[in-house]
DNA sequence: GCCTAGGTCCCGTGA
DNA sequence: TCACGGGGCCTAGGC
């Protein structure tokens, strides 16, 4: 069920929003407005035509005509109020922790609608980093021949190392897994783990690919890179490789 | 200027979207639909009521009833097509690099509107990390009395150190600046820089606050923490402190 | 083009 | 509650 108003007065729009807020409906409002934000940072945005979205959980999004990201926003859990004052509609949103405030001042509302989105569907996502861990833990040969893994997600003083193990030569090993191109950060992470140990550990960084700088740093530190074959792992997960999913749905 | 349709047929909605795409208008569409995504990852989302937004630059956002983040999306620059097939409206978006595909299959469209958002306003944001660097470089007394800074953003073998300098006692100093609470990573970073040097350097970590673990590690390493007073720096920038901005606008 | 660093990142998880 | 690390992160800037 949709309620909507085309070119409402600011009073009508304000009443409309307050009604929607009471029943925690989603509101989409297109109009001419300015935005102020103060909190972790601060910003001002002069008047212009934009979209403002209020969700039932108290999140607010302001979208301009371009780009993925909202220009201003509040995450869920905010307290939202709306009123008309001095001929402007003011939408105010307050976040408690951290203290953050967002205010949109409307000169005009072009269209506004509200609805309770009935949506019980499960969102299913492809394999995550955690999924790869599981498979690799059961199949350490993907990382290195003769490698025995002794623990996973082991907490150290400086973080959580993905795998610990013992290689064919009997050396203690730390393995850091990335499911996408490993950058210098990944090398630094691995290095932190190894440096934190009193005894000697080999370091293995395991990823589908690695940036040039990361590889150079890795080699300088004396650690190893192991290329991860995602398609082979996908097969073990009975997950369709990219091309097959594509063929099926697109 | 707004065009809108309430409870259109899928053919009407499809024509409406294609018209809007031609002139690169923004489109907001509320309906019952499912979403498939394949690319860097993959996901499927069964049928449910949601909002789909298409922007003139080729970005696509799918929002459910809760949360800041879109459940599915494409960043700007995508090629978007819309058609009706087997009694469903299919919105297809293709990203070139990386190759990514998003498909929304509509059972129903409840409301749809399109508009060219006229919005020339400048977005003005509060001070960024770079702004703080500049001010601190010109006012090293905020970091430590008698400190002379000799360079900023100096590249080392293991990263880029924010400042190098010489303290009142004539010691060489590395300064790492964080705009928000410093964690163990910041300490490790500073430590890496100092360890990479053949000669002795003092380490100063400069941030508004520091986590307990980070402070304990910092002290163990023999480095110093300097509290950064954001309000005092704001004044130098002729930027209003939090409370004043709040008083003025809220 | 690749890669790094920052973000009002958001968000989940574990201590 | 705080702190840490992942993310289809996105986006800007450097090379």
């Amino acid at each position: 069920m949709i309620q909507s108003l085309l070119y409402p007065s600011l009073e009508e729009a304000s009443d409309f929003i307050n009604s929607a807020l009471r029943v925690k409906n989603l509101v989409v409002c297109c109009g001419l407005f300015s935005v102020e934000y103060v909190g972790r940072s601060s910003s001002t945005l002069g008047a212009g035509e934009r979209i403002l979205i209020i969700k039932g959980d108290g999140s607010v999004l302001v979208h301009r005509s371009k780009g993925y990201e909202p220009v201003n926003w509040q995450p869920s859990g905010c307290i939202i109020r709306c009123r008309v004052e001095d001929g402007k509609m003011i939408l105010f949103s307050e976040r408690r922790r951290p203290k953050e405030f967002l205010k949109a001042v409307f000169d005009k509302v072009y269209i506004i609608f509200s609805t309770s989105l009935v949506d019980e569907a499960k969102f299913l996502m492809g394999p995550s980093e955690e999924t790869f861990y599981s498979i690799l833990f059961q199949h350490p040969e993907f990382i290195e021949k003769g490698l025995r893994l002794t623990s996973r997600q082991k907490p150290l003083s400086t973080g959580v190392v993905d795998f610990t193990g013992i290689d064919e030569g009997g050396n203690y090993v730390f393995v850091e897994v990335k499911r996408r191109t490993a950058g210098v950060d990944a090398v630094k992470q691995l290095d932190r783990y190894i440096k934190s140990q009193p005894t000697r550990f080999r370091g293995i960084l395991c990823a589908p690919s690695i940036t040039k700088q990361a590889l150079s740093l890795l080699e300088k530190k004396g650690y190893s890179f192991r290329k991860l074959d995602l398609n082979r792992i996908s097969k073990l997960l009975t997950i369709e490789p990219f091309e097959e999913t594509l063929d099926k749905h697109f």
Side-chain angles (χ1 to χ4, degrees), chain A residues 68-69 97 125 129 178 180 189 192:
Chain A
Y68 161 87
E69 293 185 328
R97 209 168 16 255
M125 194 140 96
E129 191 153 319
K178 295 290 165 196
R180 294 183 293 115
Q189 213 178 326
R192 242 197 352 259

PDB file of all heavy atoms in Angstrom, chain A residues 68-69 97 125 129 178 180 189 192, chain D residues 1-2 5-11:
ATOM      1  N   TYR A  68      27.124   6.583  -6.101  1.00  0.00           N
ATOM      2  CA  TYR A  68      26.640   5.503  -5.239  1.00  0.00           C
ATOM      3  C   TYR A  68      26.332   6.010  -3.834  1.00  0.00           C
ATOM      4  O   TYR A  68      25.380   5.587  -3.191  1.00  0.00           O
ATOM      5  CB  TYR A  68      27.721   4.423  -5.181  1.00  0.00           C
ATOM      6  CG  TYR A  68      27.613   3.472  -4.016  1.00  0.00           C
ATOM      7  CD1 TYR A  68      26.821   2.350  -4.110  1.00  0.00           C
ATOM      8  CD2 TYR A  68      28.293   3.711  -2.826  1.00  0.00           C
ATOM      9  CE1 TYR A  68      26.721   1.462  -3.037  1.00  0.00           C
ATOM     10  CE2 TYR A  68      28.193   2.840  -1.756  1.00  0.00           C
ATOM     11  CZ  TYR A  68      27.403   1.725  -1.874  1.00  0.00           C
ATOM     12  OH  TYR A  68      27.297   0.859  -0.824  1.00  0.00           O
ATOM     13  N   GLU A  69      27.172   6.903  -3.361  1.00  0.00           N
ATOM     14  CA  GLU A  69      27.081   7.272  -1.952  1.00  0.00           C
ATOM     15  C   GLU A  69      26.100   8.402  -1.691  1.00  0.00           C
ATOM     16  O   GLU A  69      25.983   9.322  -2.486  1.00  0.00           O
ATOM     17  CB  GLU A  69      28.465   7.677  -1.445  1.00  0.00           C
ATOM     18  CG  GLU A  69      29.419   6.507  -1.409  1.00  0.00           C
ATOM     19  CD  GLU A  69      30.747   6.876  -0.787  1.00  0.00           C
ATOM     20  OE1 GLU A  69      31.161   8.041  -0.933  1.00  0.00           O
ATOM     21  OE2 GLU A  69      31.364   5.998  -0.165  1.00  0.00           O
ATOM     22  N   ARG A  97      24.722   8.009  19.919  1.00  0.00           N
ATOM     23  CA  ARG A  97      26.120   7.701  20.162  1.00  0.00           C
ATOM     24  C   ARG A  97      26.721   7.146  18.885  1.00  0.00           C
ATOM     25  O   ARG A  97      26.321   6.070  18.467  1.00  0.00           O
ATOM     26  CB  ARG A  97      26.256   6.711  21.328  1.00  0.00           C
ATOM     27  CG  ARG A  97      27.548   6.896  22.052  1.00  0.00           C
ATOM     28  CD  ARG A  97      27.625   6.149  23.388  1.00  0.00           C
ATOM     29  NE  ARG A  97      26.630   5.139  23.547  1.00  0.00           N
ATOM     30  CZ  ARG A  97      25.553   5.279  24.338  1.00  0.00           C
ATOM     31  NH1 ARG A  97      25.363   6.364  25.030  1.00  0.00           N
ATOM     32  NH2 ARG A  97      24.697   4.296  24.438  1.00  0.00           N
ATOM     33  N   MET A 125      24.321 -14.455  -0.063  1.00  0.00           N
ATOM     34  CA  MET A 125      25.508 -13.936  -0.695  1.00  0.00           C
ATOM     35  C   MET A 125      26.460 -15.057  -1.023  1.00  0.00           C
ATOM     36  O   MET A 125      26.445 -16.113  -0.404  1.00  0.00           O
ATOM     37  CB  MET A 125      26.214 -12.938   0.200  1.00  0.00           C
ATOM     38  CG  MET A 125      27.229 -12.168  -0.592  1.00  0.00           C
ATOM     39  SD  MET A 125      27.265 -10.466  -0.157  1.00  0.00           S
ATOM     40  CE  MET A 125      28.595 -10.520   1.009  1.00  0.00           C
ATOM     41  N   GLU A 129      34.822 -14.675   3.064  1.00  0.00           N
ATOM     42  CA  GLU A 129      36.155 -15.051   3.519  1.00  0.00           C
ATOM     43  C   GLU A 129      36.071 -16.262   4.449  1.00  0.00           C
ATOM     44  O   GLU A 129      36.864 -17.186   4.347  1.00  0.00           O
ATOM     45  CB  GLU A 129      36.799 -13.852   4.243  1.00  0.00           C
ATOM     46  CG  GLU A 129      38.261 -14.053   4.511  1.00  0.00           C
ATOM     47  CD  GLU A 129      39.037 -12.753   4.607  1.00  0.00           C
ATOM     48  OE1 GLU A 129      38.785 -11.844   3.805  1.00  0.00           O
ATOM     49  OE2 GLU A 129      39.901 -12.665   5.486  1.00  0.00           O
ATOM     50  N   LYS A 178      43.465 -14.074   2.115  1.00  0.00           N
ATOM     51  CA  LYS A 178      42.636 -12.997   1.555  1.00  0.00           C
ATOM     52  C   LYS A 178      41.925 -13.566   0.339  1.00  0.00           C
ATOM     53  O   LYS A 178      42.517 -14.293  -0.440  1.00  0.00           O
ATOM     54  CB  LYS A 178      43.497 -11.800   1.128  1.00  0.00           C
ATOM     55  CG  LYS A 178      44.211 -11.100   2.263  1.00  0.00           C
ATOM     56  CD  LYS A 178      43.235 -10.350   3.155  1.00  0.00           C
ATOM     57  CE  LYS A 178      43.898  -9.975   4.471  1.00  0.00           C
ATOM     58  NZ  LYS A 178      42.917  -9.605   5.501  1.00  0.00           N
ATOM     59  N   ARG A 180      40.654 -11.702  -2.007  1.00  0.00           N
ATOM     60  CA  ARG A 180      40.902 -10.839  -3.167  1.00  0.00           C
ATOM     61  C   ARG A 180      42.354 -10.372  -3.149  1.00  0.00           C
ATOM     62  O   ARG A 180      43.100 -10.729  -2.244  1.00  0.00           O
ATOM     63  CB  ARG A 180      39.943  -9.658  -3.152  1.00  0.00           C
ATOM     64  CG  ARG A 180      38.507 -10.144  -3.361  1.00  0.00           C
ATOM     65  CD  ARG A 180      37.503  -9.026  -3.436  1.00  0.00           C
ATOM     66  NE  ARG A 180      37.383  -8.350  -2.160  1.00  0.00           N
ATOM     67  CZ  ARG A 180      37.729  -7.082  -1.958  1.00  0.00           C
ATOM     68  NH1 ARG A 180      38.224  -6.366  -2.934  1.00  0.00           N
ATOM     69  NH2 ARG A 180      37.566  -6.537  -0.786  1.00  0.00           N
ATOM     70  N   GLN A 189      49.901  -7.102   8.245  1.00  0.00           N
ATOM     71  CA  GLN A 189      49.119  -7.886   9.201  1.00  0.00           C
ATOM     72  C   GLN A 189      49.868  -9.174   9.554  1.00  0.00           C
ATOM     73  O   GLN A 189      50.127  -9.458  10.727  1.00  0.00           O
ATOM     74  CB  GLN A 189      47.785  -8.229   8.538  1.00  0.00           C
ATOM     75  CG  GLN A 189      46.603  -8.315   9.479  1.00  0.00           C
ATOM     76  CD  GLN A 189      45.327  -8.608   8.697  1.00  0.00           C
ATOM     77  OE1 GLN A 189      45.159  -8.157   7.564  1.00  0.00           O
ATOM     78  NE2 GLN A 189      44.431  -9.353   9.301  1.00  0.00           N
ATOM     79  N   ARG A 192      52.892  -8.511  11.565  1.00  0.00           N
ATOM     80  CA  ARG A 192      52.563  -8.205  12.964  1.00  0.00           C
ATOM     81  C   ARG A 192      52.413  -9.490  13.769  1.00  0.00           C
ATOM     82  O   ARG A 192      52.931  -9.603  14.881  1.00  0.00           O
ATOM     83  CB  ARG A 192      51.249  -7.431  13.013  1.00  0.00           C
ATOM     84  CG  ARG A 192      51.377  -6.057  13.580  1.00  0.00           C
ATOM     85  CD  ARG A 192      50.115  -5.379  14.016  1.00  0.00           C
ATOM     86  NE  ARG A 192      48.837  -5.963  13.735  1.00  0.00           N
ATOM     87  CZ  ARG A 192      48.028  -5.588  12.743  1.00  0.00           C
ATOM     88  NH1 ARG A 192      48.402  -4.656  11.896  1.00  0.00           N
ATOM     89  NH2 ARG A 192      46.862  -6.147  12.592  1.00  0.00           N
TER      90      ARG A 192
ATOM     91  P    DT D   1      25.794   1.213  24.958  1.00  0.00           P
ATOM     92  OP1  DT D   1      25.349   2.504  24.534  1.00  0.00           O
ATOM     93  OP2  DT D   1      25.448   0.070  24.150  1.00  0.00           O
ATOM     94  O5'  DT D   1      27.371   1.237  25.109  1.00  0.00           O
ATOM     95  C5'  DT D   1      27.858   1.256  26.473  1.00  0.00           C
ATOM     96  C4'  DT D   1      29.276   0.728  26.443  1.00  0.00           C
ATOM     97  O4'  DT D   1      29.228  -0.709  26.355  1.00  0.00           O
ATOM     98  C3'  DT D   1      30.037   1.202  25.209  1.00  0.00           C
ATOM     99  O3'  DT D   1      30.904   2.252  25.573  1.00  0.00           O
ATOM    100  C2'  DT D   1      30.830  -0.013  24.750  1.00  0.00           C
ATOM    101  C1'  DT D   1      30.373  -1.149  25.651  1.00  0.00           C
ATOM    102  N1   DT D   1      29.963  -2.359  24.869  1.00  0.00           N
ATOM    103  C2   DT D   1      30.822  -3.425  24.806  1.00  0.00           C
ATOM    104  O2   DT D   1      31.906  -3.421  25.356  1.00  0.00           O
ATOM    105  N3   DT D   1      30.347  -4.485  24.090  1.00  0.00           N
ATOM    106  C4   DT D   1      29.137  -4.588  23.437  1.00  0.00           C
ATOM    107  O4   DT D   1      28.821  -5.587  22.829  1.00  0.00           O
ATOM    108  C5   DT D   1      28.299  -3.435  23.541  1.00  0.00           C
ATOM    109  C7   DT D   1      26.947  -3.430  22.867  1.00  0.00           C
ATOM    110  C6   DT D   1      28.734  -2.392  24.240  1.00  0.00           C
ATOM    111  P    DC D   2      31.697   3.079  24.417  1.00  0.00           P
ATOM    112  OP1  DC D   2      32.140   4.359  24.994  1.00  0.00           O
ATOM    113  OP2  DC D   2      30.874   3.057  23.200  1.00  0.00           O
ATOM    114  O5'  DC D   2      32.998   2.193  24.143  1.00  0.00           O
ATOM    115  C5'  DC D   2      33.791   1.763  25.251  1.00  0.00           C
ATOM    116  C4'  DC D   2      34.834   0.778  24.780  1.00  0.00           C
ATOM    117  O4'  DC D   2      34.191  -0.445  24.351  1.00  0.00           O
ATOM    118  C3'  DC D   2      35.680   1.254  23.598  1.00  0.00           C
ATOM    119  O3'  DC D   2      37.036   0.979  23.860  1.00  0.00           O
ATOM    120  C2'  DC D   2      35.144   0.455  22.418  1.00  0.00           C
ATOM    121  C1'  DC D   2      34.710  -0.843  23.100  1.00  0.00           C
ATOM    122  N1   DC D   2      33.629  -1.567  22.388  1.00  0.00           N
ATOM    123  C2   DC D   2      33.766  -2.938  22.156  1.00  0.00           C
ATOM    124  O2   DC D   2      34.804  -3.515  22.516  1.00  0.00           O
ATOM    125  N3   DC D   2      32.758  -3.600  21.524  1.00  0.00           N
ATOM    126  C4   DC D   2      31.661  -2.939  21.148  1.00  0.00           C
ATOM    127  N4   DC D   2      30.695  -3.637  20.547  1.00  0.00           N
ATOM    128  C5   DC D   2      31.503  -1.544  21.381  1.00  0.00           C
ATOM    129  C6   DC D   2      32.505  -0.900  21.996  1.00  0.00           C
ATOM    130  P    DG D   5      42.867  -6.115  13.788  1.00  0.00           P
ATOM    131  OP1  DG D   5      43.887  -7.155  13.977  1.00  0.00           O
ATOM    132  OP2  DG D   5      43.249  -4.709  13.522  1.00  0.00           O
ATOM    133  O5'  DG D   5      41.880  -6.590  12.625  1.00  0.00           O
ATOM    134  C5'  DG D   5      41.228  -7.856  12.740  1.00  0.00           C
ATOM    135  C4'  DG D   5      40.177  -7.995  11.662  1.00  0.00           C
ATOM    136  O4'  DG D   5      39.078  -7.093  11.957  1.00  0.00           O
ATOM    137  C3'  DG D   5      40.642  -7.627  10.244  1.00  0.00           C
ATOM    138  O3'  DG D   5      40.126  -8.578   9.325  1.00  0.00           O
ATOM    139  C2'  DG D   5      40.052  -6.249  10.017  1.00  0.00           C
ATOM    140  C1'  DG D   5      38.752  -6.353  10.798  1.00  0.00           C
ATOM    141  N9   DG D   5      38.217  -5.074  11.223  1.00  0.00           N
ATOM    142  C8   DG D   5      38.922  -3.993  11.703  1.00  0.00           C
ATOM    143  N7   DG D   5      38.156  -2.978  12.007  1.00  0.00           N
ATOM    144  C5   DG D   5      36.877  -3.412  11.710  1.00  0.00           C
ATOM    145  C6   DG D   5      35.629  -2.752  11.845  1.00  0.00           C
ATOM    146  O6   DG D   5      35.397  -1.609  12.256  1.00  0.00           O
ATOM    147  N1   DG D   5      34.568  -3.567  11.432  1.00  0.00           N
ATOM    148  C2   DG D   5      34.703  -4.852  10.953  1.00  0.00           C
ATOM    149  N2   DG D   5      33.582  -5.489  10.617  1.00  0.00           N
ATOM    150  N3   DG D   5      35.861  -5.481  10.840  1.00  0.00           N
ATOM    151  C4   DG D   5      36.896  -4.704  11.238  1.00  0.00           C
ATOM    152  P    DG D   6      40.487  -8.398   7.796  1.00  0.00           P
ATOM    153  OP1  DG D   6      41.372  -9.509   7.466  1.00  0.00           O
ATOM    154  OP2  DG D   6      40.890  -7.013   7.505  1.00  0.00           O
ATOM    155  O5'  DG D   6      39.077  -8.655   7.091  1.00  0.00           O
ATOM    156  C5'  DG D   6      38.178  -9.638   7.621  1.00  0.00           C
ATOM    157  C4'  DG D   6      36.790  -9.432   7.055  1.00  0.00           C
ATOM    158  O4'  DG D   6      36.204  -8.239   7.623  1.00  0.00           O
ATOM    159  C3'  DG D   6      36.737  -9.224   5.544  1.00  0.00           C
ATOM    160  O3'  DG D   6      35.547  -9.800   5.032  1.00  0.00           O
ATOM    161  C2'  DG D   6      36.736  -7.711   5.394  1.00  0.00           C
ATOM    162  C1'  DG D   6      35.898  -7.303   6.605  1.00  0.00           C
ATOM    163  N9   DG D   6      36.210  -5.972   7.120  1.00  0.00           N
ATOM    164  C8   DG D   6      37.445  -5.493   7.471  1.00  0.00           C
ATOM    165  N7   DG D   6      37.425  -4.267   7.919  1.00  0.00           N
ATOM    166  C5   DG D   6      36.088  -3.919   7.851  1.00  0.00           C
ATOM    167  C6   DG D   6      35.441  -2.706   8.198  1.00  0.00           C
ATOM    168  O6   DG D   6      35.949  -1.663   8.652  1.00  0.00           O
ATOM    169  N1   DG D   6      34.073  -2.765   7.982  1.00  0.00           N
ATOM    170  C2   DG D   6      33.403  -3.857   7.495  1.00  0.00           C
ATOM    171  N2   DG D   6      32.092  -3.741   7.350  1.00  0.00           N
ATOM    172  N3   DG D   6      33.991  -5.002   7.166  1.00  0.00           N
ATOM    173  C4   DG D   6      35.325  -4.955   7.371  1.00  0.00           C
ATOM    174  P    DG D   7      35.373 -10.034   3.540  1.00  0.00           P
ATOM    175  OP1  DG D   7      34.545 -11.255   3.412  1.00  0.00           O
ATOM    176  OP2  DG D   7      36.675  -9.924   2.854  1.00  0.00           O
ATOM    177  O5'  DG D   7      34.474  -8.784   3.083  1.00  0.00           O
ATOM    178  C5'  DG D   7      33.140  -8.651   3.547  1.00  0.00           C
ATOM    179  C4'  DG D   7      32.512  -7.400   2.942  1.00  0.00           C
ATOM    180  O4'  DG D   7      33.015  -6.219   3.602  1.00  0.00           O
ATOM    181  C3'  DG D   7      32.787  -7.195   1.446  1.00  0.00           C
ATOM    182  O3'  DG D   7      31.594  -6.774   0.804  1.00  0.00           O
ATOM    183  C2'  DG D   7      33.821  -6.077   1.417  1.00  0.00           C
ATOM    184  C1'  DG D   7      33.454  -5.283   2.645  1.00  0.00           C
ATOM    185  N9   DG D   7      34.569  -4.557   3.247  1.00  0.00           N
ATOM    186  C8   DG D   7      35.870  -4.976   3.339  1.00  0.00           C
ATOM    187  N7   DG D   7      36.660  -4.126   3.952  1.00  0.00           N
ATOM    188  C5   DG D   7      35.818  -3.078   4.287  1.00  0.00           C
ATOM    189  C6   DG D   7      36.093  -1.861   4.959  1.00  0.00           C
ATOM    190  O6   DG D   7      37.169  -1.467   5.409  1.00  0.00           O
ATOM    191  N1   DG D   7      34.948  -1.078   5.093  1.00  0.00           N
ATOM    192  C2   DG D   7      33.696  -1.418   4.635  1.00  0.00           C
ATOM    193  N2   DG D   7      32.711  -0.542   4.857  1.00  0.00           N
ATOM    194  N3   DG D   7      33.420  -2.559   3.995  1.00  0.00           N
ATOM    195  C4   DG D   7      34.521  -3.323   3.859  1.00  0.00           C
ATOM    196  P    DG D   8      30.419  -7.874   0.449  1.00  0.00           P
ATOM    197  OP1  DG D   8      29.143  -7.177   0.592  1.00  0.00           O
ATOM    198  OP2  DG D   8      30.658  -9.173   1.111  1.00  0.00           O
ATOM    199  O5'  DG D   8      30.645  -8.044  -1.125  1.00  0.00           O
ATOM    200  C5'  DG D   8      31.802  -8.646  -1.636  1.00  0.00           C
ATOM    201  C4'  DG D   8      32.249  -7.929  -2.868  1.00  0.00           C
ATOM    202  O4'  DG D   8      31.156  -7.878  -3.805  1.00  0.00           O
ATOM    203  C3'  DG D   8      32.666  -6.483  -2.632  1.00  0.00           C
ATOM    204  O3'  DG D   8      33.753  -6.139  -3.471  1.00  0.00           O
ATOM    205  C2'  DG D   8      31.414  -5.676  -2.998  1.00  0.00           C
ATOM    206  C1'  DG D   8      30.827  -6.536  -4.117  1.00  0.00           C
ATOM    207  N9   DG D   8      29.367  -6.431  -4.161  1.00  0.00           N
ATOM    208  C8   DG D   8      28.486  -7.042  -3.316  1.00  0.00           C
ATOM    209  N7   DG D   8      27.245  -6.789  -3.587  1.00  0.00           N
ATOM    210  C5   DG D   8      27.303  -5.949  -4.700  1.00  0.00           C
ATOM    211  C6   DG D   8      26.255  -5.336  -5.440  1.00  0.00           C
ATOM    212  O6   DG D   8      25.039  -5.431  -5.270  1.00  0.00           O
ATOM    213  N1   DG D   8      26.757  -4.560  -6.470  1.00  0.00           N
ATOM    214  C2   DG D   8      28.097  -4.390  -6.760  1.00  0.00           C
ATOM    215  N2   DG D   8      28.374  -3.588  -7.764  1.00  0.00           N
ATOM    216  N3   DG D   8      29.082  -4.962  -6.062  1.00  0.00           N
ATOM    217  C4   DG D   8      28.617  -5.717  -5.055  1.00  0.00           C
ATOM    218  P    DC D   9      35.141  -5.731  -2.785  1.00  0.00           P
ATOM    219  OP1  DC D   9      36.012  -5.014  -3.735  1.00  0.00           O
ATOM    220  OP2  DC D   9      35.606  -6.944  -2.152  1.00  0.00           O
ATOM    221  O5'  DC D   9      34.701  -4.692  -1.648  1.00  0.00           O
ATOM    222  C5'  DC D   9      34.479  -3.349  -2.016  1.00  0.00           C
ATOM    223  C4'  DC D   9      33.207  -2.858  -1.375  1.00  0.00           C
ATOM    224  O4'  DC D   9      33.375  -2.892   0.046  1.00  0.00           O
ATOM    225  C3'  DC D   9      32.932  -1.407  -1.777  1.00  0.00           C
ATOM    226  O3'  DC D   9      31.865  -1.409  -2.746  1.00  0.00           O
ATOM    227  C2'  DC D   9      32.478  -0.754  -0.466  1.00  0.00           C
ATOM    228  C1'  DC D   9      33.167  -1.598   0.620  1.00  0.00           C
ATOM    229  N1   DC D   9      34.474  -1.112   1.122  1.00  0.00           N
ATOM    230  C2   DC D   9      34.602   0.169   1.660  1.00  0.00           C
ATOM    231  O2   DC D   9      33.594   0.885   1.682  1.00  0.00           O
ATOM    232  N3   DC D   9      35.814   0.587   2.123  1.00  0.00           N
ATOM    233  C4   DC D   9      36.875  -0.226   2.084  1.00  0.00           C
ATOM    234  N4   DC D   9      38.048   0.221   2.575  1.00  0.00           N
ATOM    235  C5   DC D   9      36.784  -1.535   1.537  1.00  0.00           C
ATOM    236  C6   DC D   9      35.584  -1.944   1.071  1.00  0.00           C
ATOM    237  P    DC D  10      32.154  -0.849  -4.212  1.00  0.00           P
ATOM    238  OP1  DC D  10      31.005  -1.290  -5.011  1.00  0.00           O
ATOM    239  OP2  DC D  10      33.530  -1.170  -4.618  1.00  0.00           O
ATOM    240  O5'  DC D  10      32.075   0.732  -4.015  1.00  0.00           O
ATOM    241  C5'  DC D  10      30.931   1.311  -3.386  1.00  0.00           C
ATOM    242  C4'  DC D  10      31.223   2.755  -3.060  1.00  0.00           C
ATOM    243  O4'  DC D  10      32.241   2.792  -2.023  1.00  0.00           O
ATOM    244  C3'  DC D  10      31.788   3.540  -4.254  1.00  0.00           C
ATOM    245  O3'  DC D  10      31.208   4.835  -4.277  1.00  0.00           O
ATOM    246  C2'  DC D  10      33.279   3.587  -3.981  1.00  0.00           C
ATOM    247  C1'  DC D  10      33.348   3.557  -2.463  1.00  0.00           C
ATOM    248  N1   DC D  10      34.583   2.924  -1.946  1.00  0.00           N
ATOM    249  C2   DC D  10      35.454   3.683  -1.151  1.00  0.00           C
ATOM    250  O2   DC D  10      35.174   4.862  -0.901  1.00  0.00           O
ATOM    251  N3   DC D  10      36.585   3.094  -0.686  1.00  0.00           N
ATOM    252  C4   DC D  10      36.855   1.810  -0.972  1.00  0.00           C
ATOM    253  N4   DC D  10      37.973   1.281  -0.488  1.00  0.00           N
ATOM    254  C5   DC D  10      35.980   1.030  -1.783  1.00  0.00           C
ATOM    255  C6   DC D  10      34.869   1.616  -2.247  1.00  0.00           C
ATOM    256  P    DT D  11      31.384   5.721  -5.569  1.00  0.00           P
ATOM    257  OP1  DT D  11      30.175   6.546  -5.687  1.00  0.00           O
ATOM    258  OP2  DT D  11      31.809   4.860  -6.692  1.00  0.00           O
ATOM    259  O5'  DT D  11      32.617   6.647  -5.199  1.00  0.00           O
ATOM    260  C5'  DT D  11      32.608   7.334  -3.958  1.00  0.00           C
ATOM    261  C4'  DT D  11      33.906   8.072  -3.783  1.00  0.00           C
ATOM    262  O4'  DT D  11      34.895   7.188  -3.201  1.00  0.00           O
ATOM    263  C3'  DT D  11      34.518   8.608  -5.085  1.00  0.00           C
ATOM    264  O3'  DT D  11      34.852   9.973  -4.913  1.00  0.00           O
ATOM    265  C2'  DT D  11      35.753   7.753  -5.286  1.00  0.00           C
ATOM    266  C1'  DT D  11      36.126   7.385  -3.858  1.00  0.00           C
ATOM    267  N1   DT D  11      36.914   6.148  -3.732  1.00  0.00           N
ATOM    268  C2   DT D  11      38.016   6.138  -2.886  1.00  0.00           C
ATOM    269  O2   DT D  11      38.368   7.094  -2.232  1.00  0.00           O
ATOM    270  N3   DT D  11      38.682   4.947  -2.845  1.00  0.00           N
ATOM    271  C4   DT D  11      38.374   3.794  -3.548  1.00  0.00           C
ATOM    272  O4   DT D  11      39.067   2.785  -3.420  1.00  0.00           O
ATOM    273  C5   DT D  11      37.230   3.876  -4.406  1.00  0.00           C
ATOM    274  C7   DT D  11      36.829   2.679  -5.212  1.00  0.00           C
ATOM    275  C6   DT D  11      36.560   5.033  -4.462  1.00  0.00           C
TER     276       DT D  11
END
